[in-house]
Amino acid sequence: MAENKAISQNEYLSLSSEIMSVRKRGEVPLAYVRTYGCQQNVADSERIKGMLDKAGFSFTESVDDADFILFNTCAVREHAEDRVFGNVGALKNIKRKHPSVIIALCGCMMEQEHVAKRIQDSFPFVSLVFGTNCLHEFPRLLYNTLLYGKRTFLRGNTDENVYEGIPIKRDGLFKGFLPIMYGCDNFCSYCIVPYVRGREKSRRPEVVIKEAREMIEAGYKDICLLGQNVNSYGKGLDPRPNFSTLLKEIDKIEGDYILRFMTSHPKDCTKELIDTIAQSKHISHHLHLPFQSGSNRILELMNRRYTREKYLDIINYAKERIPDLSLTSDIIVGFPGETYDDFKETLSLIKEVEFTSLFTFIYSRRKGTPAATMPDVATDDEKSAWFKELLKTQEEIAAKRCENMVGSTQKVLVEEKSSNKEGILSGRTNGNIIVEFAGDESLIGSFKNIKITKARNWILNGELVKE
Ligand code: SAH
Ligand code: SF4
Ligand code: F3S
């Protein structure tokens, strides 16, 4: 393929725009971008949309209308992958109906050799595949695909550089993600992320702070800093900044906004971080601290590198320093070798901590990870029964926590109209709990004080406080 390395990525976008303009005879070309997986993928898709926007594309929610279709995929559990394969398979008909449509796949699944091979062999209508570390190359890949129509696969990139200046088209107008680092070095034994996202790399603090300032100036009220393990932010940078210092710097920016972050890893979660939250003006009183299992034996097999005791130690310190702290966590049920006794340790931990909500998953075997070859003892039926027991226990805890908030007044960021109740708006408290109340939609995007009148499981009902 003839390539000119001297052409900048921006020029590739202009050239792509020209090609599409000729192809569509001046009509605006349409792109359909679908994102699976976590916030990191959402943030990547916002950058891809930023580049497509610069290449002259508008966006559609319908694959039938699209000239360019992209699925940004997730590999974290088998179920996520099956959904992607099912939906990609369905695109075959679209390609048959509209042969000129370009179908592209990117994201975490594409970084697995066996997936790329399956796409190569069994999905010939997919023209472009690119991995998680090649976003900055997307303009060139798009241009080459449009011009030459040749199938292109670019993946397995071990580039250590962090590329800045990629345009962004954010999905939200007042809530936004701000990636501070990419990749993961932790290698928890069940997890595919370190293999598909590569080694940890941090963005420079001044770049992050500048982007935060721009978001606040543009009216963003809820900014979520992203990384697989934000507590190890700064590794590899010289001088090495730490996460608490970064938070303190952003917190200094004037404005009415909430600063969130995810995800914190308990092994690196320091008392300094908790103190920073306690002393800050803007940082949310919400800590998402995944513990995965309450059993030390399982935590060791998971290679999590903390114990139940260390986890509880930091949680207790956080509760002491921030009395209105809302805690959430991720849990895996049915890790290889887990017994009912281990699972009971998880149950006792959630009862002790009293989380606001939990993200619970049944273990999914990921090819190439150490846990995939560990012997298992529990059956699928047993795992489902444990899972149900976990959900039921957490429902009671969440209901109690929400009940305790009745009568309090909460500052709520008003987010949207309720999808099924006329005249009702929904928003989130500083601790990230959903609140519904009657109000006019002109309030969307602003902070309002809401008096909590009722708790329904994990959703609160309230009334606008007159100002
Ligand atoms: N970096 C984050 C989590 C990213 S993945 C952290 O360490 O907390 C999000 C969640 O998916 C994990 O916390 C874990 O609970 C779950 N998960 C990851 N791999 C999984 C697997 N193989 N099976 C089931 N759940 C998994
Ligand atoms: Fe996966 Fe562990 Fe990294 Fe989180 S910290 S992404 S669970 S390897
Ligand atoms: Fe999925 Fe990749 Fe995120 S595997 S959970 S989209 S980092």
Side-chain angles (χ1 to χ4, degrees):
M1 190 185 297
E3 266 176 22
N4 182 351
K5 285 274 178 203
I7 294 183
S8 75
Q9 298 294 341
N10 271 335
E11 283 167 303
Y12 279 124
L13 293 176
S14 308
L15 291 169
S16 296
S17 171
E18 280 169 31
I19 296 174
M20 285 313 289
S21 175
V22 172
R23 206 173 272 180
K24 297 280 293 180
R25 299 198 175 90
E27 241 181 72
V28 177
L30 295 175
Y32 171 96
V33 177
R34 175 157 182 185
T35 310
Y36 299 80
C38 68
Q39 291 85 349
Q40 186 62 62
N41 257 15
V42 174
D44 284 350
S45 287
E46 290 181 341
R47 280 164 172 77
I48 296 168
K49 285 187 217 167
M51 294 185 268
L52 284 166
D53 179 60
K54 284 244 151 45
F57 283 83
S58 277
F59 297 90
T60 172
E61 296 293 315
S62 147
V63 276
D64 264 308
D65 298 339
D67 302 289
F68 179 82
I69 298 174
L70 174 75
F71 287 179
N72 187 2
T73 63
C74 168
V76 80
R77 282 170 290 274
E78 194 177 350
H79 176 69
E81 293 200 343
D82 289 346
R83 261 177 58 213
V84 170
F85 275 122
N87 294 333
V88 175
L91 294 178
K92 189 174 177 181
N93 280 333
I94 302 280
K95 182 77 181 175
R96 199 176 288 144
K97 266 199 278 175
H98 311 290
S100 65
V101 66
I102 287 169
I103 298 175
L105 301 176
C106 68
C108 298
M109 266 174 84
M110 299 306 126
E111 290 289 357
Q112 297 175 102
E113 194 62 49
H114 65 100
V115 172
K117 183 156 187 337
R118 186 165 158 196
I119 300 290
Q120 180 98 45
D121 296 344
S122 312
F123 298 86
F125 51 90
V126 173
S127 312
L128 171 62
V129 166
F130 57 100
T132 53
N133 278 308
C134 348
L135 285 200
H136 59 286
E137 294 260 27
F138 176 69
R140 179 177 68 85
L141 297 171
L142 176 69
Y143 169 76
N144 283 340
T145 311
L146 292 178
L147 192 65
Y148 303 107
K150 194 177 147 221
R151 291 186 96 192
T152 306
F153 284 60
L154 184 69
R155 29 180 305 281
N157 191 335
T158 51
D159 195 335
E160 284 176 4
N161 296 311
V162 174
Y163 293 87
E164 298 296 353
I166 300 177
I168 310 171
K169 190 170 176 1
R170 289 203 159 86
D171 293 340
L173 291 172
F174 52 88
K175 277 183 82 161
F177 295 120
L178 200 179
I180 62 167
M181 60 202 291
Y182 307 101
C184 181
D185 286 352
N186 288 314
F187 292 95
C188 302
S189 64
Y190 50 82
C191 185
I192 196 74
V193 172
Y195 304 88
V196 295
R197 284 262 164 198
R199 295 293 57 75
E200 216 169 275
K201 345 184 231 194
S202 292
R203 297 178 75 191
R204 298 208 62 83
E206 59 275 16
V207 180
V208 174
I209 294 163
K210 180 167 170 275
E211 195 168 320
R213 183 169 289 116
E214 285 165 359
M215 289 175 79
I216 293 160
E217 280 166 4
Y220 281 85
K221 298 272 185 281
D222 181 316
I223 296 172
C224 184
L225 308 181
L226 291 183
Q228 295 299 344
N229 175 12
V230 288
N231 305 106
S232 69
Y233 171 75
K235 214 159 94 180
L237 294 182
D238 185 23
R240 180 176 176 167
N242 87 10
F243 183 53
S244 297
T245 324
L246 179 75
L247 282 173
K248 282 181 197 148
E249 285 303 314
I250 299 177
D251 189 47
K252 283 184 197 157
I253 304 172
E254 294 289 324
D256 196 12
Y257 64 92
I258 293 184
L259 190 58
R260 303 183 189 278
F261 55 85
M262 68 191 311
T263 301
S264 279
H265 193 302
K267 84 174 162 63
D268 301 313
C269 184
T270 57
K271 293 191 171 162
E272 184 195 3
L273 175 69
I274 306 298
D275 293 340
T276 305
I277 302 173
Q279 288 155 7
S280 77
K281 190 164 171 210
H282 300 102
I283 305 173
S284 154
H285 286 187
H286 169 211
L287 185 62
H288 180 64
L289 198 61
F291 71 89
Q292 314 296 357
S293 167
S295 151
N296 281 338
R297 194 178 73 83
I298 297 298
L299 285 174
E300 173 129 25
L301 287 173
M302 287 178 162
N303 190 31
R304 288 290 286 180
R305 286 174 283 170
Y306 54 84
T307 58
R308 172 193 180 93
E309 292 72 29
K310 177 166 181 244
Y311 183 82
L312 286 172
D313 186 45
I314 194 82
I315 289 284
N316 289 332
Y317 182 75
K319 281 180 170 175
E320 215 174 275
R321 291 288 280 121
I322 314 163
D324 65 342
L325 184 68
S326 166
L327 287 156
T328 58
S329 194
D330 294 352
I331 298 177
I332 297 177
V333 173
F335 183 82
E338 187 173 19
T339 63
Y340 189 63
D341 278 345
D342 293 310
F343 172 70
K344 277 199 298 199
E345 297 271 294
T346 297
L347 276 187
S348 82
L349 196 146
I350 67 163
K351 286 183 192 153
E352 184 167 345
V353 176
E354 298 197 320
F355 293 96
T356 312
S357 61
L358 292 175
F359 299 86
T360 44
F361 309 102
I362 290 188
Y363 169 73
S364 169
R365 210 167 275 280
R366 303 286 66 209
K367 204 173 169 177
T369 62
T373 52
M374 290 181 188
D376 210 352
V377 287
T379 63
D380 287 352
D381 285 347
E382 281 170 318
K383 291 180 183 181
S384 312
W386 302 351
F387 190 74
K388 282 195 194 122
E389 194 176 347
L390 180 69
L391 293 188
K392 191 166 167 290
T393 310
Q394 176 55 28
E395 251 173 49
E396 288 161 16
I397 296 168
K400 188 174 129 201
R401 277 198 63 93
C402 287
E403 199 61 56
N404 287 342
M405 293 176 76
V406 173
S408 68
T409 296
Q410 303 283 328
K411 185 175 172 184
V412 168
L413 177 59
V414 188
E415 292 184 358
E416 57 193 6
K417 288 196 290 183
S418 156
S419 55
N420 51 11
K421 282 168 246 151
E422 194 59 33
I424 300 294
L425 301 174
S426 120
R428 277 172 195 265
T429 65
N430 181 304
N432 220 17
I433 303 173
I434 298 174
V435 182
E436 290 187 342
F437 58 97
D440 188 82
E441 51 184 285
S442 61
L443 302 181
I444 292 173
S446 61
F447 287 106
K448 289 287 156 202
N449 284 324
I450 307 291
K451 173 134 195 223
I452 306 303
T453 52
K454 203 167 118 195
R456 294 180 292 125
N457 297 328
W458 50 88
I459 296 184
L460 300 170
N461 287 146
E463 286 166 3
L464 257 175
V465 175
K466 298 255 174 326
E467 278 154 34

PDB file of all heavy atoms in Angstrom, residues 215-228:
ATOM      1  N   MET A 215     -12.894  21.499  30.324  1.00  0.00           N
ATOM      2  CA  MET A 215     -14.227  20.903  30.534  1.00  0.00           C
ATOM      3  C   MET A 215     -15.054  21.769  31.481  1.00  0.00           C
ATOM      4  O   MET A 215     -16.240  22.008  31.245  1.00  0.00           O
ATOM      5  CB  MET A 215     -14.082  19.480  31.110  1.00  0.00           C
ATOM      6  CG  MET A 215     -13.553  18.479  30.095  1.00  0.00           C
ATOM      7  SD  MET A 215     -13.265  16.855  30.841  1.00  0.00           S
ATOM      8  CE  MET A 215     -14.932  16.195  30.880  1.00  0.00           C
ATOM      9  N   ILE A 216     -14.428  22.235  32.540  1.00  0.00           N
ATOM     10  CA  ILE A 216     -15.164  23.061  33.518  1.00  0.00           C
ATOM     11  C   ILE A 216     -15.618  24.356  32.847  1.00  0.00           C
ATOM     12  O   ILE A 216     -16.764  24.781  32.991  1.00  0.00           O
ATOM     13  CB  ILE A 216     -14.280  23.322  34.765  1.00  0.00           C
ATOM     14  CG1 ILE A 216     -14.068  21.996  35.497  1.00  0.00           C
ATOM     15  CG2 ILE A 216     -14.917  24.361  35.681  1.00  0.00           C
ATOM     16  CD1 ILE A 216     -12.889  21.963  36.432  1.00  0.00           C
ATOM     17  N   GLU A 217     -14.723  24.954  32.041  1.00  0.00           N
ATOM     18  CA  GLU A 217     -15.091  26.198  31.339  1.00  0.00           C
ATOM     19  C   GLU A 217     -16.213  25.952  30.335  1.00  0.00           C
ATOM     20  O   GLU A 217     -17.045  26.815  30.090  1.00  0.00           O
ATOM     21  CB  GLU A 217     -13.865  26.792  30.632  1.00  0.00           C
ATOM     22  CG  GLU A 217     -12.980  27.548  31.616  1.00  0.00           C
ATOM     23  CD  GLU A 217     -11.597  27.870  31.067  1.00  0.00           C
ATOM     24  OE1 GLU A 217     -11.332  27.577  29.865  1.00  0.00           O
ATOM     25  OE2 GLU A 217     -10.772  28.388  31.850  1.00  0.00           O
ATOM     26  N   ALA A 218     -16.244  24.739  29.775  1.00  0.00           N
ATOM     27  CA  ALA A 218     -17.282  24.423  28.782  1.00  0.00           C
ATOM     28  C   ALA A 218     -18.599  24.036  29.461  1.00  0.00           C
ATOM     29  O   ALA A 218     -19.564  23.696  28.792  1.00  0.00           O
ATOM     30  CB  ALA A 218     -16.801  23.298  27.867  1.00  0.00           C
ATOM     31  N   GLY A 219     -18.640  24.064  30.798  1.00  0.00           N
ATOM     32  CA  GLY A 219     -19.906  23.811  31.503  1.00  0.00           C
ATOM     33  C   GLY A 219     -20.058  22.403  32.053  1.00  0.00           C
ATOM     34  O   GLY A 219     -21.145  22.043  32.509  1.00  0.00           O
ATOM     35  N   TYR A 220     -18.998  21.601  32.026  1.00  0.00           N
ATOM     36  CA  TYR A 220     -19.120  20.249  32.609  1.00  0.00           C
ATOM     37  C   TYR A 220     -19.242  20.364  34.128  1.00  0.00           C
ATOM     38  O   TYR A 220     -18.493  21.094  34.765  1.00  0.00           O
ATOM     39  CB  TYR A 220     -17.941  19.365  32.183  1.00  0.00           C
ATOM     40  CG  TYR A 220     -18.161  18.857  30.783  1.00  0.00           C
ATOM     41  CD1 TYR A 220     -17.791  19.618  29.682  1.00  0.00           C
ATOM     42  CD2 TYR A 220     -18.828  17.656  30.556  1.00  0.00           C
ATOM     43  CE1 TYR A 220     -18.064  19.195  28.390  1.00  0.00           C
ATOM     44  CE2 TYR A 220     -19.104  17.224  29.272  1.00  0.00           C
ATOM     45  CZ  TYR A 220     -18.721  17.991  28.189  1.00  0.00           C
ATOM     46  OH  TYR A 220     -19.002  17.580  26.924  1.00  0.00           O
ATOM     47  N   LYS A 221     -20.216  19.620  34.675  1.00  0.00           N
ATOM     48  CA  LYS A 221     -20.514  19.716  36.113  1.00  0.00           C
ATOM     49  C   LYS A 221     -20.080  18.449  36.841  1.00  0.00           C
ATOM     50  O   LYS A 221     -20.089  18.394  38.064  1.00  0.00           O
ATOM     51  CB  LYS A 221     -22.035  19.856  36.314  1.00  0.00           C
ATOM     52  CG  LYS A 221     -22.624  21.097  35.681  1.00  0.00           C
ATOM     53  CD  LYS A 221     -22.538  22.240  36.673  1.00  0.00           C
ATOM     54  CE  LYS A 221     -23.210  23.487  36.196  1.00  0.00           C
ATOM     55  NZ  LYS A 221     -22.436  24.253  35.242  1.00  0.00           N
ATOM     56  N   ASP A 222     -19.807  17.397  36.076  1.00  0.00           N
ATOM     57  CA  ASP A 222     -19.450  16.115  36.684  1.00  0.00           C
ATOM     58  C   ASP A 222     -18.340  15.527  35.825  1.00  0.00           C
ATOM     59  O   ASP A 222     -18.571  15.148  34.678  1.00  0.00           O
ATOM     60  CB  ASP A 222     -20.707  15.223  36.696  1.00  0.00           C
ATOM     61  CG  ASP A 222     -20.467  13.860  37.321  1.00  0.00           C
ATOM     62  OD1 ASP A 222     -19.436  13.235  37.016  1.00  0.00           O
ATOM     63  OD2 ASP A 222     -21.330  13.411  38.087  1.00  0.00           O
ATOM     64  N   ILE A 223     -17.138  15.504  36.398  1.00  0.00           N
ATOM     65  CA  ILE A 223     -15.976  15.040  35.624  1.00  0.00           C
ATOM     66  C   ILE A 223     -15.434  13.793  36.298  1.00  0.00           C
ATOM     67  O   ILE A 223     -15.133  13.798  37.499  1.00  0.00           O
ATOM     68  CB  ILE A 223     -14.900  16.140  35.562  1.00  0.00           C
ATOM     69  CG1 ILE A 223     -15.485  17.342  34.803  1.00  0.00           C
ATOM     70  CG2 ILE A 223     -13.618  15.639  34.905  1.00  0.00           C
ATOM     71  CD1 ILE A 223     -14.603  18.556  34.825  1.00  0.00           C
ATOM     72  N   CYS A 224     -15.311  12.734  35.523  1.00  0.00           N
ATOM     73  CA  CYS A 224     -14.836  11.475  36.098  1.00  0.00           C
ATOM     74  C   CYS A 224     -13.465  11.125  35.515  1.00  0.00           C
ATOM     75  O   CYS A 224     -13.328  10.904  34.304  1.00  0.00           O
ATOM     76  CB  CYS A 224     -15.852  10.374  35.809  1.00  0.00           C
ATOM     77  SG  CYS A 224     -15.397   8.814  36.567  1.00  0.00           S
ATOM     78  N   LEU A 225     -12.441  11.113  36.375  1.00  0.00           N
ATOM     79  CA  LEU A 225     -11.087  10.759  35.937  1.00  0.00           C
ATOM     80  C   LEU A 225     -11.024   9.242  35.789  1.00  0.00           C
ATOM     81  O   LEU A 225     -11.488   8.513  36.672  1.00  0.00           O
ATOM     82  CB  LEU A 225     -10.050  11.212  36.964  1.00  0.00           C
ATOM     83  CG  LEU A 225     -10.111  12.679  37.399  1.00  0.00           C
ATOM     84  CD1 LEU A 225      -8.997  12.978  38.397  1.00  0.00           C
ATOM     85  CD2 LEU A 225     -10.001  13.614  36.204  1.00  0.00           C
ATOM     86  N   LEU A 226     -10.447   8.791  34.690  1.00  0.00           N
ATOM     87  CA  LEU A 226     -10.474   7.353  34.395  1.00  0.00           C
ATOM     88  C   LEU A 226      -9.097   6.711  34.358  1.00  0.00           C
ATOM     89  O   LEU A 226      -8.148   7.291  33.835  1.00  0.00           O
ATOM     90  CB  LEU A 226     -11.069   7.111  33.005  1.00  0.00           C
ATOM     91  CG  LEU A 226     -12.537   7.385  32.763  1.00  0.00           C
ATOM     92  CD1 LEU A 226     -12.870   6.991  31.331  1.00  0.00           C
ATOM     93  CD2 LEU A 226     -13.397   6.614  33.744  1.00  0.00           C
ATOM     94  N   GLY A 227      -9.054   5.494  34.874  1.00  0.00           N
ATOM     95  CA  GLY A 227      -7.859   4.655  34.757  1.00  0.00           C
ATOM     96  C   GLY A 227      -8.212   3.311  35.364  1.00  0.00           C
ATOM     97  O   GLY A 227      -9.118   3.237  36.195  1.00  0.00           O
ATOM     98  N   GLN A 228      -7.522   2.236  34.979  1.00  0.00           N
ATOM     99  CA  GLN A 228      -7.822   0.928  35.579  1.00  0.00           C
ATOM    100  C   GLN A 228      -7.379   0.884  37.030  1.00  0.00           C
ATOM    101  O   GLN A 228      -7.898   0.117  37.819  1.00  0.00           O
ATOM    102  CB  GLN A 228      -7.155  -0.211  34.799  1.00  0.00           C
ATOM    103  CG  GLN A 228      -7.670  -0.389  33.387  1.00  0.00           C
ATOM    104  CD  GLN A 228      -9.155  -0.722  33.331  1.00  0.00           C
ATOM    105  OE1 GLN A 228      -9.770  -1.101  34.317  1.00  0.00           O
ATOM    106  NE2 GLN A 228      -9.744  -0.569  32.155  1.00  0.00           N
TER     107      GLN A 228
END
